[in-house]
Each structure stands twice: as C-alpha cells, then as structure tokens.
Amino acid sequence: MAFTMFRAPFQFFVLLLSICSIAVAQLEPRQSASADALNSPICQNYARVANLSTVALNSTYRAAFLRSSSLGTFAARTILDVESPKLMGMMMDTKLNQQCGNLSQVALDGAAANLTQGTVLGLPIQDAPGITVDSPAMPVVQIAIFLIMGGTWLCL
C-alpha cells in the first residue's frame, strides 16, 4: 500500500525533471545541409534511393508497400530491388553526406513515422486480402480441410 501512495508523486517528479531538461538543453544539428544543396539533383536522387531502400530492406515496410501499390506486386518489387543496392555506396560517400546530410537516417525516421500513421511511401496501407479469423467462412474452410485430410486417411 505504501508503494502505491508514492507512485503518483514520483511520476510527477520525473515529469517535472524531463520538462526542465528539455527547456535547458541546447540542441545542435548533427549535419547542416543548406537548402540549396538539398534541392540539387544529387541530393534528390540520394533522398529517393534512401526512401525506397528503407522500404525495400525492412520486411514490414516492404510487405505494406507491396500490398498497397497500384502497380502490382512484380513491378513494385522491381522498383525496390533496383534501388536498394545503391544505398550502401551513397551512405559511405562522405562528400555526398557532407553536401546533403544523412538522408538515410531521415528516411528511416520518416518511414517509421509514416507507418504509425498508416502510410508507406505516400500510399495508404491496404488491408491484407484473405479470410479473417472471425469470418463466417472460416468454419466452412476448416470443415472442408478436415474432411479432405480425414477422408484421405480413412480411405487408406
């Protein structure tokens, strides 16, 4: 009982400390790329490759994109597979990273934020096709599978 009495004041104290530390902290950007540099074709290509590669190399993002793409599975997969090998060379290019900033990290953070909002690469995530667990067709499918498997076993 004594533990629960001090729980609310402790939470309030932690909240107060976190607010004070945010107000006191001075944040500095890790990399400062100018606006002109970000609009250059090289940086736009790096941003495109980083966004597509982030989706291509993560199975959750990839599945959501392939399910939601209006191009079809094979065309969408080809786009992702062509761009993903280019990312490592761009990430290791120090001159490109100094000019454009770390766009691969920006793409990773943006993909995570977009997934929580229900989009991937600007497309709304579609529901997966198939029979849901609470569908009235599920018992019919289960009985059919049982009869096929059981009937084969009984006939032996």
Side-chain angles (χ1 to χ4, degrees):
M1 187 70 170
F3 176 71
T4 57
M5 283 185 356
F6 294 109
R7 190 172 189 189
F10 179 73
Q11 288 175 341
F12 177 72
F13 180 69
V14 170
L15 177 67
L16 185 63
L17 283 176
S18 65
I19 290 172
C20 291
S21 68
I22 290 172
V24 172
Q26 295 178 356
L27 300 177
E28 295 179 15
R30 261 185 20 192
Q31 296 158 333
S32 58
S34 66
D36 294 334
L38 291 176
N39 290 329
S40 70
I42 295 171
C43 292
Q44 288 181 352
N45 184 39
Y46 181 23
R48 182 178 54 81
V49 169
N51 285 327
L52 290 173
S53 297
T54 299
V55 171
L57 297 174
N58 186 312
S59 61
T60 303
Y61 301 153
R62 185 181 181 95
F65 175 70
L66 293 177
R67 185 173 48 226
S68 303
S69 175
S70 62
L71 299 173
T73 306
F74 294 118
R77 180 189 53 81
T78 302
I79 292 170
L80 296 177
D81 291 343
V82 166
E83 297 298 329
S84 61
K86 299 177 186 177
L87 181 65
M88 286 316 243
M90 291 181 161
M91 285 175 62
M92 299 303 165
D93 188 354
T94 56
K95 187 176 180 182
L96 181 65
N97 281 318
Q98 287 174 352
Q99 180 181 358
C100 301
N102 191 359
L103 295 180
S104 58
Q105 185 62 40
V106 172
L108 189 64
D109 296 339
N114 288 338
L115 188 69
T116 59
Q117 294 174 358
T119 62
V120 61
L121 290 178
L123 300 171
I125 298 174
Q126 305 294 324
D127 291 334
I131 299 174
T132 60
V133 177
D134 58 350
S135 172
M138 185 58 79
V140 175
V141 171
Q142 290 173 346
I143 290 171
I145 291 171
F146 178 75
L147 289 176
I148 291 170
M149 299 291 185
T152 304
W153 182 74
L154 286 175
C155 291
L156 294 176

